[in-house]
């Protein structure tokens, strides 16, 4: 097993596993960062909602443009995300239902519409299917031209990196900047929206910006890794992180650590794990990454230092 | 034309408390859904006063505060804070929402919450620094919570949470304090501590408005009352306005007249 790992970290590793792992990490962290605030605002479902409506978005984009290139797909997904957010607001206000119900209503309806779209239109000739939408295909994002670690400084080889890698890196930098620059505003408005409004924080604009950041993370990550990871990473790393600390900054830090661990362990277990048990097949990396994040959540529930905080309130 | 009208109209209501009074409200209407929570309320709070907003549950007391500060959208009405629209006088006002309106399980320490009150002095894209921490500690000290600075807020009692909220408002160093039920669910020691801080604020020439529930403490704590039950019932000094008739009108059948007499004597 050790030998296997050593060989695995050589040239073959760079070509076959390095980029999928990096893309997995970038996608996981890009989703976990806004997930922290969604969780504390009791909006965790919005990540779920957005990642579901991506499907009708890309199907619609395909029907309009007739291609499956990245740009129209992402535009379609982004447009669908915005439509979903607006629809959730409308259902909430007109229907006077609680936010969770409004989200559940909108995203299941739109996702179902996406599946119907797929079935009744002639998309069978192209590579869009529900399986791919859910699980992505992380394993296929390999770096063909890499010949080993030295390729990392070879401009010709770097030019052939899977486009998802720089795209997700850019998205992660953008989301990171948003959170760092508006840290105070995000923190105050998440804790006490009425106070935030009274001291002049534009809570409505900020809340919308957070949802837009969420949508961008969901769409960029979806393209690379499918919606299962996206949904898991919005919720699991932040929720686990909350059980580790009582400070927001540290919670965000822990969520990044957990997202990274999930991506690395999930990919390694999916690719090499079955081999350790004598199976010649690998399992879905996306599924395994999501599973690992769930296991981390379970461990945090059992052993996290702040796991007992609920119900611990002293009443004087 | 429209502006001139508004200015002329506004002129009619500011005369009671003076032109640059901390708060003048005219015709404030706020609605959640179809039924107005606050309907066409006028009020004028003079500088240096300590006013209790009184009324039965669901009478729109909190909504009146939120509507005046633009925290909830107004259907109609005009609000002037120190003679200006709220957004121009924001840094002269400190608002303390109801303690129960936030999730105390939020990952923050006591000091983190008080630092939020210094938001205005930190600057865009910057973070709190050592001198902000010192100021926050001084505010915690004023409410007797300095020893709790590093405590997780979820571990506080209701009274301690309320003191932390008051410390956050003190950190804002405002001229006008609006508190939503600062005495709800707090212990007697906390109530005394809060009253003492509020009276200090008043003696420094600042203005205090509280949504208040306990009628028996009104004459002891406050010098003015604003009686609301969706509409404004009465407003003025405690001696002349906090009367059995006005309370009867505010609370309807929910408060027996004999009970009110007892309160007046207390």
């Amino acid at each position: 097993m050790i030998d296997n790992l050593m060989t695995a970290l050589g040239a073959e590793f760079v070509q076959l596993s390095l980029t999928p792992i990096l893309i997995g990490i970038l996608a996981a962290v890009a989703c976990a960062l806004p997930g922290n605030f969604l969780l504390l605002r009791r909006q965790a479902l919005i990540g779920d909602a957005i990642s579901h409506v991506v499907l009708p978005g890309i199907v619609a984009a395909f029907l309009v443009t007739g291609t499956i290139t990245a740009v129209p797909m992402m535009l379609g997904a982004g447009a669908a995300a915005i439509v979903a957010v607006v629809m959730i607001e409308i259902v909430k206000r007109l229907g006077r239902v609680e936010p969770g119900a409004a989200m559940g209503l909108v995203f299941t309806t739109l996702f179902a519409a996406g599946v119907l779209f797929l079935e009744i239109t002639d998309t069978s000739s192209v590579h869009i299917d529900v399986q791919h939408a859910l699980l992505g295909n992380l394993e296929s994002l390999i770096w063909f031209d890499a010949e080993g670690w030295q390729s990392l400084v070879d401009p010709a080889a770097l030019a052939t990196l899977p486009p998802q890698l720089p795209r997700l890196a850019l998205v992660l930098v953008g989301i990171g900047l948003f959170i760092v620059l508006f840290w105070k505003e995000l923190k105050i408005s998440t804790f006490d929206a009425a106070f935030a409004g009274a001291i002049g924080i534009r809570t409505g604009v900020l809340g919308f910006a957070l949802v837009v950041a969420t949508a961008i993370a969901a769409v960029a990550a979806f393209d690379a890794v499918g919606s299962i990871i996206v949904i898991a990473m919005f919720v699991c790393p932040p929720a686990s992180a909350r059980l580790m600390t009582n400070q927001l900054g540290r919670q965000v830090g822990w969520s990044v650590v957990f997202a990274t661990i999930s991506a690395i362990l999930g990919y390694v277990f999916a690719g090499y794990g079955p081999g350790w048990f004598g199976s010649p097949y690998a399992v879905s990396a996306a599924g395994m990454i999501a599973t690992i994040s769930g296991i981390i959540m379970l461990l945090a529930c059992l052993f996290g230092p702040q796991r007992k905080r609920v119900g611990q309130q002293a009443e004087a | 034309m429209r502006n001139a009208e508004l200015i002329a109209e506004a002129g009619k209501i500011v005369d009671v408390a003076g032109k640059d009074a901390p708060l003048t409200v005219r015709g404030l209407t706020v609605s959640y859904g179809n039924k107005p929570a606050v309907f066409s309320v006028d009020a004028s709070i003079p500088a240096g006063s300590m006013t209790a907003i009184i009324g039965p549950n669901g009478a729109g007391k909190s909504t009146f505060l939120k509507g005046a500060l633009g925290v909830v959208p107004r259907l109609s009405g005009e609000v002037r804070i120190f003679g200006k629209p709220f957004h121009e006088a924001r840094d002269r006002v400190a608002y303390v929402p109801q303690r129960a309106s936030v999730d105390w399980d939020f990952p923050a320490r006591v000091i983190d919450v008080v630092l939020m009150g210094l938001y205005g002095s930190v600057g865009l894209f910057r973070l709190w620094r050592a001198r902000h921490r010192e100021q926050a500690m001084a505010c915690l000290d004023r409410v007797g919570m300095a020893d709790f600075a590093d405590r997780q807020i979820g571990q506080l009692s209701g009274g301690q949470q309320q003191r932390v909220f008051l410390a956050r408002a003190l950190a804002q160093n405002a001229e006008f304090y609006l508190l939503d039920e600062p005495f709800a669910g707090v212990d007697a020691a906390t109530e005394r501590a809060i009253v003492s801080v509020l009276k200090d604020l008043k003696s420094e020439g600042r203005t205090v408005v509280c949504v208040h529930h306990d009628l028996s403490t009104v004459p002891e704590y406050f010098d003015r009352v604003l009686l609301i039950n969706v509409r404004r019932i009465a407003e003025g000094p405690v001696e002349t306005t906090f009367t059995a008739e006005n309370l009867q009108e505010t609370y309807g059948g929910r408060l027996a007249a004999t009970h009110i007499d007892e309160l007046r004597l207390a």
Side-chain angles (χ1 to χ4, degrees):
Chain A
M1 183 172 124
I2 300 294
D3 287 345
N4 284 350
L5 277 180
M6 291 308 287
T7 353
L9 288 175
E12 198 193 350
F13 172 81
V14 176
Q15 193 179 37
L16 296 180
S17 298
L18 180 66
T19 45
I21 290 181
L22 284 178
I23 289 169
I25 293 173
L26 292 174
V29 173
C31 293
L33 282 178
N36 281 288
F37 295 95
L38 297 179
L39 187 80
L40 293 170
R41 288 164 175 248
R42 313 213 178 271
Q43 284 186 324
L45 262 181
I46 200 116
D48 204 339
I50 288 171
S51 37
H52 273 83
V53 301
V54 160
L55 179 69
I58 58 171
V59 176
F62 169 75
L63 292 176
V64 171
T65 63
T67 67
I68 52 160
T69 49
V71 173
M73 292 290 110
M74 294 188 75
L75 286 178
I82 291 167
V83 166
V85 168
V86 171
M87 278 175 72
I88 289 168
E89 274 305 307
I90 291 174
V91 171
K92 221 159 59 181
R93 291 193 186 167
L94 294 186
R96 295 190 188 285
V97 294
E98 53 129 347
M103 289 177 211
L105 188 75
V106 167
F107 81 68
T108 46
T109 308
L110 287 179
F111 185 74
V115 174
L116 271 181
F117 256 148
L118 269 180
E119 300 243 315
I120 60 176
T121 56
D122 183 26
T123 47
S124 53
S125 59
V126 293
H127 186 65
I128 311 178
D129 58 62
V130 177
Q131 161 86 9
H132 182 248
L134 287 177
L135 293 174
N137 204 353
L138 192 54
E139 295 87 340
S140 71
L141 301 175
I142 53 177
W143 190 7
F144 282 114
D145 289 11
E147 286 158 357
W149 290 99
Q150 70 275 13
S151 296
L152 283 176
V153 288
D154 175 4
L158 285 175
T160 64
L161 277 171
Q164 285 88 352
L165 186 63
R167 202 183 291 145
L168 270 169
L170 194 68
V171 164
L172 179 58
V173 167
I175 290 174
L177 272 179
F178 168 64
I179 290 177
V180 167
L181 290 178
F182 294 100
W183 179 257
K184 293 192 305 290
E185 289 79 3
L186 282 167
K187 182 176 181 175
I188 297 174
S189 66
T190 301
F191 172 61
D192 189 344
F195 176 79
I199 62 174
I201 295 173
R202 307 277 295 272
T203 51
V205 177
L206 195 65
F208 186 72
L210 180 63
V211 170
V212 169
T214 304
I216 290 172
V219 170
F222 165 85
D223 175 46
V225 298
S227 29
I228 292 284
I229 289 198
V230 174
I231 296 167
M233 289 304 140
F234 275 128
V235 180
C236 288
S240 311
R242 179 66 191 89
L243 299 169
M244 301 302 291
T245 173
N246 275 326
Q247 287 180 50
L248 183 59
R250 293 183 188 176
Q251 179 190 315
V252 172
W254 274 108
S255 74
V256 170
V257 170
F258 286 152
T260 307
I261 293 175
S262 302
I264 295 173
L265 284 187
Y267 187 83
V268 170
F269 285 172
Y272 304 98
W276 301 337
F277 298 100
S279 164
Y281 307 108
V283 296
S284 154
M288 187 56 90
I289 291 173
T291 306
I292 296 289
S293 72
I295 292 173
I296 291 176
M297 176 78 218
L298 178 69
L299 292 175
C301 285
L302 293 175
F303 304 111
Q306 303 303 331
R307 70 188 193 283
K308 282 186 189 154
R309 69 186 198 286
V310 175
Q312 215 181 27
Q313 293 188 6
E315 280 301 332
Chain B
M1 173 63 197
R2 205 175 120 66
N3 277 345
E5 261 175 44
L6 282 176
I7 291 164
E9 294 272 358
K12 286 182 205 160
I13 54 150
V14 291
D15 47 311
V16 185
K19 196 173 170 303
D20 294 332
L23 178 66
T24 47
V25 174
R26 202 177 66 92
L28 178 65
T29 301
V30 179
S31 168
Y32 305 116
N34 297 323
K35 204 168 159 247
V38 168
F39 186 75
S40 194
V41 169
D42 297 350
S44 56
I45 307 289
S49 65
M50 211 163 148
T51 304
I53 302 180
I54 296 168
N57 289 329
K61 305 181 293 293
S62 298
T63 306
F64 170 77
L65 279 195
K66 289 181 192 164
L69 298 182
V71 173
V72 296
R74 308 192 262 270
L75 268 187
S76 65
E78 200 185 349
V79 176
R80 285 279 180 275
I81 308 267
F82 296 108
K84 296 174 183 156
F86 177 51
H87 63 88
E88 288 175 27
R90 207 187 286 282
D91 51 356
R92 299 168 73 179
V93 175
Y95 167 57
V96 180
Q98 280 181 30
R99 180 170 58 85
S101 69
V102 306
D103 175 12
W104 290 89
D105 196 33
F106 187 85
R109 294 162 303 170
V110 165
I111 186 89
D112 296 326
V113 174
V114 182
L115 284 168
M116 293 177 187
L118 292 162
Y119 171 78
S121 66
V122 177
L124 197 61
F125 305 146
R126 287 168 174 272
L127 285 177
W128 295 280
R129 287 189 275 182
R131 74 185 158 88
H132 298 115
R133 253 161 237 287
E134 282 167 29
Q135 288 175 39
M137 283 306 293
C139 297
L140 274 176
D141 199 37
R142 273 184 84 177
V143 299
M145 288 289 289
D147 293 341
F148 292 80
D150 290 322
R151 197 69 81 80
Q152 147 70 13
I153 53 173
Q155 295 168 349
L156 303 178
S157 71
Q160 290 167 337
Q161 290 171 351
Q162 192 66 60
R163 291 187 200 204
V164 172
F165 259 18
L166 182 58
R168 180 177 71 178
L170 292 175
Q172 292 178 261
N173 192 23
E175 295 162 56
F176 182 25
Y177 285 79
L178 299 108
L179 299 89
D180 200 342
E181 302 206 18
F183 306 113
V186 307
D187 52 290
T190 295
E191 179 152 342
R192 280 194 300 276
I194 293 175
V195 168
S196 151
V197 169
L198 295 182
K199 291 201 164 172
D200 285 348
L201 291 174
K202 178 182 147 65
S203 67
E204 292 162 12
R206 304 176 206 247
T207 311
V208 177
V209 170
C210 292
V211 172
H212 191 57
H213 256 298
D214 182 0
L215 294 180
S216 66
T217 52
V218 168
E220 185 189 339
Y221 295 169
F222 300 95
D223 53 23
R224 295 180 81 259
V225 287
L226 169 61
L227 300 169
I228 294 183
N229 191 347
V230 183
R231 296 163 181 271
R232 186 188 83 155
I233 307 296
E235 182 191 8
V238 167
E239 304 82 59
T240 54
T241 313
F242 190 63
T243 61
E245 304 84 75
N246 282 338
L247 286 173
Q248 193 68 55
E249 199 184 337
T250 309
Y251 287 82
R254 275 175 272 188
L255 204 66
T258 50
H259 188 200
I260 295 172
D261 288 339
E262 281 169 28
L263 289 172
R264 290 289 291 147
L265 295 171

